[in-house]
Amino acid sequence: MSAGATVPAAVTVAVVGSVHQDLHLHVGELPRPGETLMAREWGRAPGGKGANQAVACATAGAGTTMVGAVGDDVAADAVLAALRTAGVDVALVQRLASRATSTAVVTVAADGANSIVVAADASSALDPRSVEAALAGLPAVAVVLSQAEVPEEVVRAAAAGAVAAGARTVHNLAPYRPVGAALLACCDPLVVNEVEAASLAHDLGLDASAPEQLAGRLADACASVVVTLGAQGAVWARGAEGGHVPSPEVPVVDTSGAGDAFVGALCASLARGDALPQACSAGVEAGARAVQHRGAQAAAPPAGATLL
């Protein structure tokens, strides 16, 4: 983080996470093991779950700052410029001379399905002590959001910084990895998709099948839980309460930005003081808009945009 860096007092959501460049490959169908395909189109774009969710937060109207790390390269110039253009403050993004900006290869099929491989470099070197210090310098942050594309100690530092600041801790456990009970207990909510939820339930020794039941069981370990269901919307649980938020039917172009759009809109809603069901509705609507556009950050059209 640059010396003397300042963050606007209007920041209500701090996003601690990855800042990547994405390489998009568009194919007819996803490759099978051992298969080589020729891409019909390809291109580069800014990405990273942290950056994507920060853009989605800002797009949904929240004052947003990004806490992360990039390399000292041309890719960093591009991804930071994209964040600034979206209205995200980048004063707390480290620029590491010894690292390359992290890269994700995103393969997108004709039906919108995707597979993603991430080569983390700068994002993997984010310093947890600097994360806590950065969060301590934010005067009125309401929500601290993290994801699992950065080291676990960074996620723990984000949660500790949120608690110290009196902010709400939201963690998107994606990509999935085992997580400790202390971190889970801080999450309000923990956001996972169906696959991640099932993996977490298995690790915790929980027996559940239906998404609503699964969310309810996971909520025993967290302050609250949201399980995203793709085209079926999302389910949420807090204690003994819970519910399902359905998604509208929309044409699908690319699903790669939908989860991040959901999380960003959800956090912006929570930062405004909305209850969890209302925040889930905002997330579902944002996800439905996102799948109608290519790319991740480009898939976060402004709140209120018409659903086709």
Side-chain angles (χ1 to χ4, degrees):
M1 296 156 199
S2 59
T6 59
V7 178
V11 166
T12 56
V13 179
V15 182
V16 179
S18 54
V19 183
H20 297 168
Q21 63 171 343
D22 287 353
L23 172 61
H24 289 266
L25 304 173
H26 292 270
V27 297
E29 58 184 18
L30 297 180
R32 297 182 292 272
E35 182 179 21
T36 299
L37 298 178
M38 302 298 290
R40 299 183 303 181
E41 299 177 59
W42 74 280
R44 289 189 177 91
K49 281 192 169 295
N52 296 345
Q53 292 176 11
V55 168
C57 285
T59 299
T64 307
T65 192
M66 183 77 224
V67 182
V70 295
D72 190 13
D73 49 24
V74 174
D77 296 334
V79 296
L80 292 177
L83 286 168
R84 293 189 192 98
T85 298
V88 177
D89 189 273
V90 297
L92 300 178
V93 177
Q94 301 176 20
R95 192 150 184 167
L96 306 178
S98 61
R99 296 281 184 164
T101 298
S102 303
T103 300
V105 178
V106 185
T107 305
V108 183
D111 63 1
N114 70 83
S115 65
I116 304 172
V117 178
V118 177
D121 195 334
S123 288
S124 69
L126 185 56
D127 177 30
R129 290 169 297 181
S130 67
V131 168
E132 285 199 59
L135 295 177
L138 298 177
V141 63
V143 174
V144 174
L145 166 64
S146 61
Q147 319 77 30
E149 281 187 339
V150 291
E152 184 178 351
E153 56 267 27
V154 171
V155 175
R156 291 198 300 266
V163 171
R168 188 170 192 152
T169 300
V170 180
H171 181 54
N172 178 207
L173 189 53
Y176 179 78
R177 66 182 176 213
V179 61
L183 177 59
L184 286 176
C186 294
C187 296
D188 189 17
L190 173 76
V191 184
V192 286
N193 64 23
E194 288 183 271
V195 174
E196 293 151 359
S199 296
L200 179 58
H202 177 269
D203 286 348
L204 295 177
L206 303 177
D207 182 17
S209 53
E212 292 88 347
Q213 182 187 28
L214 188 55
R217 296 298 304 276
L218 292 176
D220 292 338
C222 311
S224 62
V225 171
V226 173
V227 180
T228 59
L229 308 175
Q232 276 63 58
V235 294
W236 63 273
R238 177 190 293 281
E241 299 181 334
H244 174 226
V245 180
S247 177
E249 292 187 17
V250 296
V252 177
V253 175
D254 181 359
T255 61
S256 59
D260 294 336
F262 176 98
V263 175
L266 176 137
C267 287
S269 182
L270 291 174
R272 289 192 294 269
D274 295 338
L276 186 58
Q278 186 176 353
C280 282
S281 294
V284 166
E285 291 177 6
R289 290 192 297 270
V291 298
Q292 300 178 66
H293 303 269
R294 283 188 176 182
Q297 291 180 22
T306 301
L307 296 176
L308 300 180

